[in-house]
Short mmCIF file of all heavy atoms in Angstrom, two decimals:
data_model
loop_
_atom_site.label_atom_id
_atom_site.label_comp_id
_atom_site.label_asym_id
_atom_site.label_seq_id
_atom_site.Cartn_x
_atom_site.Cartn_y
_atom_site.Cartn_z
N GLU A 361 -16.53 -15.06 -30.87
CA GLU A 361 -16.83 -15.83 -29.64
C GLU A 361 -17.38 -14.81 -28.78
O GLU A 361 -16.89 -13.66 -28.68
CB GLU A 361 -15.49 -16.43 -29.08
CG GLU A 361 -14.87 -17.47 -29.84
CD GLU A 361 -13.67 -16.94 -30.66
OE1 GLU A 361 -13.84 -15.73 -31.15
OE2 GLU A 361 -12.71 -17.59 -30.77
N ARG A 362 -18.34 -15.28 -27.91
CA ARG A 362 -19.00 -14.40 -27.01
C ARG A 362 -18.08 -14.16 -25.68
O ARG A 362 -17.29 -15.00 -25.41
CB ARG A 362 -20.28 -14.99 -26.56
CG ARG A 362 -21.31 -14.89 -27.65
CD ARG A 362 -22.57 -15.45 -27.30
NE ARG A 362 -22.87 -16.69 -27.98
CZ ARG A 362 -24.00 -16.99 -28.28
NH1 ARG A 362 -25.13 -16.34 -27.77
NH2 ARG A 362 -24.22 -18.14 -29.06
N SER A 363 -18.22 -13.00 -25.10
CA SER A 363 -17.52 -12.72 -23.87
C SER A 363 -18.43 -12.07 -22.85
O SER A 363 -19.43 -11.35 -23.14
CB SER A 363 -16.28 -11.80 -24.29
OG SER A 363 -16.75 -10.50 -24.25
N THR A 364 -18.11 -12.33 -21.68
CA THR A 364 -18.90 -11.75 -20.49
C THR A 364 -18.13 -10.77 -19.78
O THR A 364 -18.80 -10.07 -18.85
CB THR A 364 -19.30 -12.98 -19.56
OG1 THR A 364 -18.13 -13.62 -18.96
CG2 THR A 364 -20.09 -14.03 -20.35
N GLY A 365 -16.81 -10.83 -19.75
CA GLY A 365 -16.03 -9.86 -18.84
C GLY A 365 -15.88 -10.40 -17.56
O GLY A 365 -15.63 -9.68 -16.58
N LEU A 366 -16.25 -11.70 -17.30
CA LEU A 366 -16.19 -12.31 -15.97
C LEU A 366 -14.93 -13.10 -15.68
O LEU A 366 -14.41 -13.18 -14.63
CB LEU A 366 -17.44 -13.15 -15.63
CG LEU A 366 -18.69 -12.37 -15.41
CD1 LEU A 366 -19.91 -13.23 -15.32
CD2 LEU A 366 -18.48 -11.56 -14.04
N GLY A 367 -14.37 -13.81 -16.77
CA GLY A 367 -13.29 -14.81 -16.66
C GLY A 367 -12.04 -14.27 -15.85
O GLY A 367 -11.64 -14.90 -14.84
N LEU A 368 -11.50 -13.14 -16.22
CA LEU A 368 -10.24 -12.69 -15.59
C LEU A 368 -10.56 -12.22 -14.07
O LEU A 368 -9.71 -12.36 -13.32
CB LEU A 368 -9.70 -11.61 -16.38
CG LEU A 368 -8.85 -12.13 -17.72
CD1 LEU A 368 -8.18 -10.93 -18.33
CD2 LEU A 368 -7.78 -13.20 -17.24
N SER A 369 -11.69 -11.70 -13.79
CA SER A 369 -11.93 -11.30 -12.49
C SER A 369 -11.97 -12.47 -11.52
O SER A 369 -11.53 -12.39 -10.41
CB SER A 369 -13.23 -10.45 -12.37
OG SER A 369 -14.32 -11.36 -12.50
N ILE A 370 -12.61 -13.63 -12.15
CA ILE A 370 -12.73 -14.90 -11.36
C ILE A 370 -11.33 -15.38 -11.11
O ILE A 370 -10.85 -15.76 -10.03
CB ILE A 370 -13.59 -15.81 -12.03
CG1 ILE A 370 -15.04 -15.33 -11.93
CG2 ILE A 370 -13.60 -17.19 -11.35
CD1 ILE A 370 -15.96 -16.08 -12.75
N VAL A 371 -10.53 -15.53 -12.26
CA VAL A 371 -9.16 -15.95 -12.18
C VAL A 371 -8.38 -15.17 -11.21
O VAL A 371 -7.72 -15.73 -10.34
CB VAL A 371 -8.41 -15.72 -13.54
CG1 VAL A 371 -6.97 -15.90 -13.47
CG2 VAL A 371 -9.05 -16.85 -14.51
N ALA A 372 -8.37 -13.74 -11.13
CA ALA A 372 -7.62 -13.06 -10.24
C ALA A 372 -7.99 -13.38 -8.68
O ALA A 372 -7.17 -13.54 -7.89
CB ALA A 372 -7.99 -11.52 -10.41
N GLN A 373 -9.28 -13.73 -8.56
CA GLN A 373 -9.81 -14.05 -7.09
C GLN A 373 -9.23 -15.54 -6.75
O GLN A 373 -8.64 -15.60 -5.63
CB GLN A 373 -11.29 -14.01 -7.11
CG GLN A 373 -11.89 -12.65 -7.44
CD GLN A 373 -12.01 -11.78 -6.14
OE1 GLN A 373 -11.56 -12.12 -5.07
NE2 GLN A 373 -12.44 -10.54 -6.34
N ILE A 374 -9.37 -16.36 -7.85
CA ILE A 374 -8.85 -17.65 -7.49
C ILE A 374 -7.45 -17.65 -7.13
O ILE A 374 -6.96 -18.30 -6.25
CB ILE A 374 -9.25 -18.59 -8.60
CG1 ILE A 374 -10.74 -18.79 -8.63
CG2 ILE A 374 -8.66 -19.99 -8.38
CD1 ILE A 374 -11.15 -19.68 -9.94
#
Side-chain angles (χ1 to χ4, degrees):
E361 298 99 322
R362 286 179 246 211
S363 84
T364 61
L366 284 174
L368 284 180
S369 74
I370 294 169
V371 165
Q373 299 276 359
I374 295 176

